[in-house]
Amino acid sequence: MANNQEIQLVKRPETTPTDEHLKIIDTTMPKPGDGEVLIKTLYVSVDPYMRGRMSSAKSYVEPFALKEAISGGVVGQVIESESEKFQAGDFVSGTLPWARFSTAPENSIRKIDPSLGSLTASLGVLGMPGLTAYFGLIDIGQPKQGETVVVSAAAGAVGSLVVQIAKLYGAYVVGIAGTDKKTAFLIEQLGADKAINYKTENVGNALQTACPNGIDVYFDNVGGTVSDAVYPLLNDHARIPQCGSIATYNDPNAQGPRLQMHIVKARALIKGFIVSDYQAQFKEGLTKLSNWYKNGQLTYRETVREGFEHIPDAFFGLFEGENIGKQLVKTADPEE
Amino acid sequence: MANNQEIQLVKRPETTPTDEHLKIIDTTMPKPGDGEVLIKTLYVSVDPYMRGRMSSAKSYVEPFALKEAISGGVVGQVIESESEKFQAGDFVSGTLPWARFSTAPENSIRKIDPSLGSLTASLGVLGMPGLTAYFGLIDIGQPKQGETVVVSAAAGAVGSLVVQIAKLYGAYVVGIAGTDKKTAFLIEQLGADKAINYKTENVGNALQTACPNGIDVYFDNVGGTVSDAVYPLLNDHARIPQCGSIATYNDPNAQGPRLQMHIVKARALIKGFIVSDYQAQFKEGLTKLSNWYKNGQLTYRETVREGFEHIPDAFFGLFEGENIGKQLVKTADPEE
């Protein structure tokens, strides 16, 4: 009996993912086994890194299997429990399938403490994006008081937190984003010192004006032409946390200027990372983030789309730069 | 009276430097002032990094001034001394002009101890190239026993030392160079495990065969298409000391595949550096290098051209890959 649905990867995208790659499939309601719970999905997180898992190429996470449900960050509610650790009604988060209902072993999910923030904070400021922003900026970027920090995709889930954390560390912060609404958000809500719209401005010229003292830290989420404009302005011993490369995910053969000469000239450091590299320090990071969050020092924005069937569109929209802050899909209301 | 000659930068090269940019100019014999010595130039070092100083762009060293002598690593002999630290006949090295004769303040030059090695070792294994190889590989590359280290421009002044130091640290070493004579040198003289001729082989395929366990360290001197072939094979947490980028020095607008996706996937570290970043540790490095050298653990090769007037050609030849090991020009015999 088809009383559940999931979203499967049915074909690997070569370039831009579309409806032909992701399909909604009718399935049956799963039954929790011993030590498991049945979860009703409430919110699904769609993230740029998931594009990488849709390719078959080796990467830091396993590729998604074909004809299986995509999995990612989910907030849900326990509706049936065969575990002593959870009871019906509990809110939980974890890496779960894009399905209306799913089961999970008790050790693979975390209970959400609603007193810590909103239900979805665990998918944003107090979850993967928050930890990514914090460790990438602090461990690799190491911004110092008065240094210039440039952030690409600055209005996104990670970037919007990087901008604010850099400000908390006393840096001069320049954010780059793709709409005037986003650049206004950077200045007015996040406290960025300058914001650049890369779709309407010449980024090289705008950066030169916005960064009279050069660039000390470049938190890079995009890796395309925006980054090309940053490299010539790097100061000696600049640091580049390479968080993502969304500009090239759908076009792996993209060409651009070679960057090695700038790296040598500035004696720059570039370091790719993923949040799980810092697993051993998650507790420290979450404490920092939740303190800032509770003190109102971190503004947190979400773009929420409604409806399970719109998960694919919300994911595709990431590559069009549609979202401000974290892109979520609300798939159901909690049970009373 | 024109009894001296120097080589001046008379025009800044936009792309490949040629005879129109460097001119031999007749000058007069300089007189040493108080605390200075008069030096007869015996050997001149020509190095790829000097290309950067011929441009007017900001870099880690000041651009060469137009209509002044180029300066670089020189070994010479004191022929007249107004310093208590030196006497006529002493062999010295330092950063000196490309001139047949020059003066230098006593604190700007070092006496060469001929018991430590050949006269010219101070321009190679016991000088800038040796220290560059040592600190770039050890501090940034951090090769571990059994790891795979790939070296570009592996038969050059720096690369040939990197290959050997990596072997001393127990790594599996693959060298890339541009002639069969050089690849034979890498295997037979330097002990590389594999060598690839990038001019006759498909570097990507050859690397895949030569590096069955992927690539952990890439000591990069070139930064062009050779590097493009390395990035897709990087292992998790790979380290890339970015020593130079000779493939692009004469073509700053060169385009190539974007590398950020590989950096993210492998969570790689890239760090540009110059040897003077390690000035505080030079003594430690020189001790290591001279011990290996004296114990016969470092083979050291020079390509020596004869004649002051051939300095420009020897420099131009670097970009054609003519040299094996350190490229020097012998400009005069020592005094009896």
Side-chain angles (χ1 to χ4, degrees), chain A residues 19-46:
Chain A
D19 280 332
E20 69 170 316
H21 306 106
L22 298 177
K23 287 269 184 258
I24 298 179
I25 307 287
D26 290 335
T27 59
T28 54
M29 184 69 83
K31 278 242 26 107
D34 200 33
E36 292 189 335
V37 296
L38 176 65
I39 298 163
K40 178 184 182 181
T41 300
L42 303 180
Y43 290 93
V44 162
S45 172
V46 296

mmCIF file of all heavy atoms in Angstrom, chain A residues 19-46:
data_model
loop_
_atom_site.group_PDB
_atom_site.id
_atom_site.type_symbol
_atom_site.label_atom_id
_atom_site.label_comp_id
_atom_site.label_asym_id
_atom_site.label_seq_id
_atom_site.Cartn_x
_atom_site.Cartn_y
_atom_site.Cartn_z
ATOM 1 N N ASP A 19 14.451 17.815 -13.177
ATOM 2 C CA ASP A 19 13.418 16.833 -12.832
ATOM 3 C C ASP A 19 13.692 15.438 -13.373
ATOM 4 O O ASP A 19 13.149 14.465 -12.863
ATOM 5 C CB ASP A 19 12.054 17.310 -13.371
ATOM 6 C CG ASP A 19 11.441 18.352 -12.446
ATOM 7 O OD1 ASP A 19 11.747 18.310 -11.237
ATOM 8 O OD2 ASP A 19 10.681 19.211 -12.930
ATOM 9 N N GLU A 20 14.496 15.355 -14.428
ATOM 10 C CA GLU A 20 14.732 13.999 -14.954
ATOM 11 C C GLU A 20 15.662 13.201 -14.040
ATOM 12 O O GLU A 20 15.779 11.982 -14.173
ATOM 13 C CB GLU A 20 15.291 14.041 -16.382
ATOM 14 C CG GLU A 20 16.693 14.588 -16.473
ATOM 15 C CD GLU A 20 17.321 14.386 -17.871
ATOM 16 O OE1 GLU A 20 17.178 13.283 -18.437
ATOM 17 O OE2 GLU A 20 17.946 15.333 -18.361
ATOM 18 N N HIS A 21 16.351 13.886 -13.101
ATOM 19 C CA HIS A 21 17.292 13.175 -12.224
ATOM 20 C C HIS A 21 16.680 12.783 -10.880
ATOM 21 O O HIS A 21 17.109 11.824 -10.261
ATOM 22 C CB HIS A 21 18.537 14.040 -12.005
ATOM 23 C CG HIS A 21 19.179 14.482 -13.274
ATOM 24 N ND1 HIS A 21 19.083 15.769 -13.750
ATOM 25 C CD2 HIS A 21 19.894 13.791 -14.200
ATOM 26 C CE1 HIS A 21 19.725 15.864 -14.903
ATOM 27 N NE2 HIS A 21 20.225 14.686 -15.201
ATOM 28 N N LEU A 22 15.698 13.550 -10.436
ATOM 29 C CA LEU A 22 15.068 13.296 -9.133
ATOM 30 C C LEU A 22 13.590 12.988 -9.338
ATOM 31 O O LEU A 22 12.880 13.772 -9.973
ATOM 32 C CB LEU A 22 15.205 14.548 -8.237
ATOM 33 C CG LEU A 22 16.630 14.987 -7.885
ATOM 34 C CD1 LEU A 22 16.604 16.261 -7.055
ATOM 35 C CD2 LEU A 22 17.358 13.883 -7.133
ATOM 36 N N LYS A 23 13.143 11.874 -8.796
ATOM 37 C CA LYS A 23 11.739 11.494 -8.981
ATOM 38 C C LYS A 23 11.091 11.176 -7.629
ATOM 39 O O LYS A 23 11.712 10.582 -6.746
ATOM 40 C CB LYS A 23 11.634 10.238 -9.849
ATOM 41 C CG LYS A 23 11.936 10.462 -11.311
ATOM 42 C CD LYS A 23 10.677 10.808 -12.113
ATOM 43 C CE LYS A 23 10.978 10.943 -13.609
ATOM 44 N NZ LYS A 23 11.071 12.352 -14.060
ATOM 45 N N ILE A 24 9.823 11.593 -7.504
ATOM 46 C CA ILE A 24 9.041 11.226 -6.319
ATOM 47 C C ILE A 24 8.445 9.844 -6.561
ATOM 48 O O ILE A 24 7.787 9.612 -7.580
ATOM 49 C CB ILE A 24 7.920 12.257 -6.064
ATOM 50 C CG1 ILE A 24 8.548 13.628 -5.784
ATOM 51 C CG2 ILE A 24 7.025 11.801 -4.899
ATOM 52 C CD1 ILE A 24 7.548 14.738 -5.551
ATOM 53 N N ILE A 25 8.729 8.946 -5.639
ATOM 54 C CA ILE A 25 8.326 7.546 -5.804
ATOM 55 C C ILE A 25 7.392 7.165 -4.648
ATOM 56 O O ILE A 25 7.684 7.457 -3.486
ATOM 57 C CB ILE A 25 9.578 6.633 -5.766
ATOM 58 C CG1 ILE A 25 10.622 7.094 -6.775
ATOM 59 C CG2 ILE A 25 9.188 5.164 -5.946
ATOM 60 C CD1 ILE A 25 10.300 6.809 -8.217
ATOM 61 N N ASP A 26 6.278 6.505 -4.982
ATOM 62 C CA ASP A 26 5.387 6.005 -3.930
ATOM 63 C C ASP A 26 6.002 4.773 -3.286
ATOM 64 O O ASP A 26 6.502 3.882 -3.990
ATOM 65 C CB ASP A 26 4.024 5.630 -4.523
ATOM 66 C CG ASP A 26 3.242 6.871 -4.953
ATOM 67 O OD1 ASP A 26 3.505 7.953 -4.381
ATOM 68 O OD2 ASP A 26 2.393 6.750 -5.858
ATOM 69 N N THR A 27 5.996 4.729 -1.972
ATOM 70 C CA THR A 27 6.521 3.566 -1.257
ATOM 71 C C THR A 27 5.547 3.224 -0.124
ATOM 72 O O THR A 27 4.483 3.837 -0.013
ATOM 73 C CB THR A 27 7.917 3.849 -0.648
ATOM 74 O OG1 THR A 27 7.791 4.960 0.242
ATOM 75 C CG2 THR A 27 8.926 4.178 -1.719
ATOM 76 N N THR A 28 5.952 2.294 0.714
ATOM 77 C CA THR A 28 5.068 1.895 1.818
ATOM 78 C C THR A 28 5.602 2.437 3.133
ATOM 79 O O THR A 28 6.782 2.769 3.250
ATOM 80 C CB THR A 28 4.970 0.361 1.914
ATOM 81 O OG1 THR A 28 6.295 -0.153 2.011
ATOM 82 C CG2 THR A 28 4.294 -0.215 0.686
ATOM 83 N N MET A 29 4.727 2.519 4.087
ATOM 84 C CA MET A 29 5.098 3.013 5.412
ATOM 85 C C MET A 29 6.084 2.031 6.071
ATOM 86 O O MET A 29 5.770 0.847 6.163
ATOM 87 C CB MET A 29 3.816 3.129 6.252
ATOM 88 C CG MET A 29 4.032 3.709 7.626
ATOM 89 S SD MET A 29 4.480 5.460 7.533
ATOM 90 C CE MET A 29 2.855 6.170 7.371
ATOM 91 N N PRO A 30 7.261 2.526 6.473
ATOM 92 C CA PRO A 30 8.219 1.594 7.098
ATOM 93 C C PRO A 30 7.809 1.280 8.533
ATOM 94 O O PRO A 30 7.071 2.043 9.163
ATOM 95 C CB PRO A 30 9.531 2.381 7.070
ATOM 96 C CG PRO A 30 9.117 3.816 7.083
ATOM 97 C CD PRO A 30 7.759 3.902 6.434
ATOM 98 N N LYS A 31 8.307 0.161 9.048
ATOM 99 C CA LYS A 31 8.023 -0.239 10.438
ATOM 100 C C LYS A 31 9.316 -0.176 11.226
ATOM 101 O O LYS A 31 10.328 -0.722 10.810
ATOM 102 C CB LYS A 31 7.520 -1.696 10.495
ATOM 103 C CG LYS A 31 6.087 -1.878 10.205
ATOM 104 C CD LYS A 31 5.164 -2.449 11.289
ATOM 105 C CE LYS A 31 5.375 -2.362 12.765
ATOM 106 N NZ LYS A 31 4.470 -1.424 13.451
ATOM 107 N N PRO A 32 9.291 0.512 12.372
ATOM 108 C CA PRO A 32 10.524 0.560 13.172
ATOM 109 C C PRO A 32 10.831 -0.793 13.795
ATOM 110 O O PRO A 32 9.932 -1.445 14.338
ATOM 111 C CB PRO A 32 10.202 1.597 14.256
ATOM 112 C CG PRO A 32 8.710 1.608 14.363
ATOM 113 C CD PRO A 32 8.183 1.246 13.013
ATOM 114 N N GLY A 33 12.071 -1.224 13.709
ATOM 115 C CA GLY A 33 12.516 -2.444 14.382
ATOM 116 C C GLY A 33 12.915 -2.140 15.816
ATOM 117 O O GLY A 33 12.739 -1.008 16.307
ATOM 118 N N ASP A 34 13.479 -3.130 16.465
ATOM 119 C CA ASP A 34 13.883 -2.964 17.851
ATOM 120 C C ASP A 34 14.968 -1.886 17.949
ATOM 121 O O ASP A 34 15.940 -1.902 17.192
ATOM 122 C CB ASP A 34 14.423 -4.306 18.377
ATOM 123 C CG ASP A 34 14.406 -4.326 19.893
ATOM 124 O OD1 ASP A 34 13.499 -3.715 20.490
ATOM 125 O OD2 ASP A 34 15.333 -4.928 20.472
ATOM 126 N N GLY A 35 14.786 -0.912 18.858
ATOM 127 C CA GLY A 35 15.769 0.167 19.010
ATOM 128 C C GLY A 35 15.636 1.239 17.947
ATOM 129 O O GLY A 35 16.491 2.122 17.836
ATOM 130 N N GLU A 36 14.588 1.186 17.179
ATOM 131 C CA GLU A 36 14.380 2.188 16.131
ATOM 132 C C GLU A 36 13.134 3.033 16.424
ATOM 133 O O GLU A 36 12.317 2.674 17.265
ATOM 134 C CB GLU A 36 14.205 1.511 14.767
ATOM 135 C CG GLU A 36 15.460 0.823 14.254
ATOM 136 C CD GLU A 36 15.308 0.352 12.812
ATOM 137 O OE1 GLU A 36 14.154 0.123 12.362
ATOM 138 O OE2 GLU A 36 16.323 0.226 12.134
ATOM 139 N N VAL A 37 13.019 4.124 15.691
ATOM 140 C CA VAL A 37 11.810 4.938 15.791
ATOM 141 C C VAL A 37 11.269 5.209 14.390
ATOM 142 O O VAL A 37 12.004 5.151 13.402
ATOM 143 C CB VAL A 37 12.072 6.304 16.484
ATOM 144 C CG1 VAL A 37 12.496 6.087 17.942
ATOM 145 C CG2 VAL A 37 13.117 7.107 15.733
ATOM 146 N N LEU A 38 9.979 5.480 14.315
ATOM 147 C CA LEU A 38 9.361 5.932 13.067
ATOM 148 C C LEU A 38 9.246 7.448 13.146
ATOM 149 O O LEU A 38 8.735 7.995 14.132
ATOM 150 C CB LEU A 38 7.974 5.289 12.897
ATOM 151 C CG LEU A 38 7.159 5.747 11.672
ATOM 152 C CD1 LEU A 38 7.835 5.346 10.362
ATOM 153 C CD2 LEU A 38 5.734 5.178 11.726
ATOM 154 N N ILE A 39 9.723 8.112 12.125
ATOM 155 C CA ILE A 39 9.802 9.575 12.137
ATOM 156 C C ILE A 39 8.953 10.153 11.013
ATOM 157 O O ILE A 39 9.030 9.697 9.857
ATOM 158 C CB ILE A 39 11.269 10.044 11.958
ATOM 159 C CG1 ILE A 39 12.119 9.546 13.130
ATOM 160 C CG2 ILE A 39 11.355 11.563 11.818
ATOM 161 C CD1 ILE A 39 13.603 9.585 12.848
ATOM 162 N N LYS A 40 8.189 11.175 11.351
ATOM 163 C CA LYS A 40 7.477 11.948 10.343
ATOM 164 C C LYS A 40 8.360 13.153 10.004
ATOM 165 O O LYS A 40 8.772 13.910 10.897
ATOM 166 C CB LYS A 40 6.152 12.421 10.929
ATOM 167 C CG LYS A 40 5.317 13.274 9.996
ATOM 168 C CD LYS A 40 4.075 13.764 10.744
ATOM 169 C CE LYS A 40 3.151 14.584 9.869
ATOM 170 N NZ LYS A 40 1.985 15.064 10.642
ATOM 171 N N THR A 41 8.680 13.304 8.747
ATOM 172 C CA THR A 41 9.552 14.393 8.322
ATOM 173 C C THR A 41 8.801 15.723 8.381
ATOM 174 O O THR A 41 7.698 15.828 7.828
ATOM 175 C CB THR A 41 10.051 14.144 6.891
ATOM 176 O OG1 THR A 41 10.777 12.914 6.886
ATOM 177 C CG2 THR A 41 10.945 15.265 6.401
ATOM 178 N N LEU A 42 9.405 16.713 9.049
ATOM 179 C CA LEU A 42 8.783 18.038 9.130
ATOM 180 C C LEU A 42 9.521 19.070 8.256
ATOM 181 O O LEU A 42 8.896 19.872 7.584
ATOM 182 C CB LEU A 42 8.764 18.525 10.582
ATOM 183 C CG LEU A 42 8.061 17.617 11.602
ATOM 184 C CD1 LEU A 42 8.141 18.259 12.987
ATOM 185 C CD2 LEU A 42 6.603 17.361 11.208
ATOM 186 N N TYR A 43 10.840 19.037 8.334
ATOM 187 C CA TYR A 43 11.663 19.967 7.540
ATOM 188 C C TYR A 43 12.806 19.200 6.886
ATOM 189 O O TYR A 43 13.452 18.358 7.526
ATOM 190 C CB TYR A 43 12.274 21.055 8.423
ATOM 191 C CG TYR A 43 11.273 22.035 8.957
ATOM 192 C CD1 TYR A 43 10.689 21.844 10.200
ATOM 193 C CD2 TYR A 43 10.925 23.172 8.225
ATOM 194 C CE1 TYR A 43 9.761 22.746 10.704
ATOM 195 C CE2 TYR A 43 10.003 24.081 8.715
ATOM 196 C CZ TYR A 43 9.425 23.871 9.958
ATOM 197 O OH TYR A 43 8.523 24.764 10.442
ATOM 198 N N VAL A 44 13.062 19.545 5.640
ATOM 199 C CA VAL A 44 14.190 18.957 4.912
ATOM 200 C C VAL A 44 15.153 20.081 4.546
ATOM 201 O O VAL A 44 14.730 21.148 4.092
ATOM 202 C CB VAL A 44 13.679 18.243 3.638
ATOM 203 C CG1 VAL A 44 14.807 18.010 2.649
ATOM 204 C CG2 VAL A 44 13.002 16.938 4.005
ATOM 205 N N SER A 45 16.435 19.827 4.762
ATOM 206 C CA SER A 45 17.466 20.786 4.382
ATOM 207 C C SER A 45 17.983 20.444 2.995
ATOM 208 O O SER A 45 18.312 19.281 2.730
ATOM 209 C CB SER A 45 18.606 20.696 5.402
ATOM 210 O OG SER A 45 19.697 21.459 4.975
ATOM 211 N N VAL A 46 18.014 21.415 2.103
ATOM 212 C CA VAL A 46 18.649 21.179 0.794
ATOM 213 C C VAL A 46 19.939 21.993 0.768
ATOM 214 O O VAL A 46 19.948 23.165 1.137
ATOM 215 C CB VAL A 46 17.721 21.549 -0.394
ATOM 216 C CG1 VAL A 46 16.504 20.648 -0.404
ATOM 217 C CG2 VAL A 46 17.314 23.002 -0.386
#
